[in-house]
């Protein structure tokens, strides 16, 4: 592969990582940008902005490592444009599904829930990869289940439903062969 091609291939994935990092440090209070019940009252931007907010530095770092792992592989396979479409369309659809869950859970528990992180969009990538590489399917399902439920056993709040929704969205997008 030519150097020019290598630079072009990784630009979108790297841009996502840099954007997430910059926004983490620029926006200290992210409640207006996170996914919460205000979405139902007209804060529609939350479907997109919540994918760029993170609870803490560890959350950001873990998400960015996994984004790089799967992002660079899929961007090389799909090209930057199709990779961007997969990330954003899959991430937005995952956010929409998660919003319904957040709304329902907020009413049920009578609590205010803020959903932040790129995990849903990243799980879209993982689901897409799981379909593309059938040999990795079981391992990736186990990985998504572990990253969804293991932290909860340690008392860490995790949007497990966003991980599951993301994986399913990515898998279904790959299965429909829209981006191939």
């Amino acid at each position: 592969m030519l150097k020019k091609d290598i630079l072009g291939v990784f630009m979108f994935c790297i841009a996502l990582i840099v954007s997430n990092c910059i926004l983490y440090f620029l926006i200290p209070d992210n409640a207006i940008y996170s996914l919460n019940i205000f979405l139902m009252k007209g804060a529609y931007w939350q479907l997109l902005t919540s994918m760029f907010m993170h609870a803490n530095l560890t959350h950001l770092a873990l998400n960015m490592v996994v984004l790089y792992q799967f992002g660079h592989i899929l961007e090389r396979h799909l090209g930057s444009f199709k990779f961007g479409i997969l990330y954003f369309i899959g991430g937005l659809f995952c956010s929409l599904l998660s919003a319904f869950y957040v709304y329902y859970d907020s009413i049920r528990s009578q609590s205010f829930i803020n959903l932040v992180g790129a995990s849903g969009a990243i799980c879209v990538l993982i689901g897409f990869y799981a379909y593309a590489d059938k040999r990795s399917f079981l391992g990736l399902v186990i990985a998504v289940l572990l990253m969804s439920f293991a932290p909860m056993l340690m008392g860490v709040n995790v949007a497990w439903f966003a991980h599951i929704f993301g994986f399913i969205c990515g898998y279904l997008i790959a299965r429909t062969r829209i981006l191939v």
Side-chain angles (χ1 to χ4, degrees), residues 12-13 16 48 51-52 67 71 74-75 78-94 120-122 124-125 128 166 169-170 173-174 176-180:
F12 195 80
C13 182
L16 283 172
L48 176 65
M51 295 189 312
F52 291 91
L67 173 56
L74 289 175
E75 188 171 4
L78 295 171
S80 294
F81 181 75
K82 287 181 181 179
F83 171 75
I85 296 290
L86 173 64
Y87 187 85
F88 281 112
I89 298 299
L92 287 170
F93 195 62
C94 177
I122 293 167
V124 167
L125 303 179
F128 191 95
C169 288
I173 290 169
T176 62
R177 298 188 184 272
I178 293 170
L179 295 174
V180 178

Side-chain angles (χ1 to χ4, degrees), residues 82-177:
K82 287 181 181 179
F83 171 75
I85 296 290
L86 173 64
Y87 187 85
F88 281 112
I89 298 299
L92 287 170
F93 195 62
C94 177
S95 288
L96 185 62
L97 291 172
S98 296
F100 288 117
Y101 184 86
V102 165
Y103 181 74
Y104 166 77
D105 203 38
S106 293
I107 291 171
R108 184 192 57 77
S109 67
Q110 295 295 306
S111 62
F112 186 78
I113 299 168
N114 265 333
L115 185 65
V116 294
S119 326
I122 293 167
C123 284
V124 167
L125 303 179
I126 295 171
F128 191 95
Y129 188 87
Y131 183 83
D133 181 6
K134 305 277 192 273
R135 295 170 294 145
S136 67
F137 177 80
L138 183 58
L140 291 173
V141 167
I142 292 169
V144 169
L145 291 174
L146 283 172
M147 74 177 166
S148 299
F149 298 108
M152 290 171 38
L153 296 174
M154 297 179 280
V156 176
N157 284 334
V158 174
W160 59 269
F161 48 88
H163 297 163
I164 306 300
F165 290 152
F167 185 88
I168 292 168
C169 288
Y171 189 86
L172 292 176
I173 290 169
R175 188 175 174 156
T176 62
R177 298 188 184 272

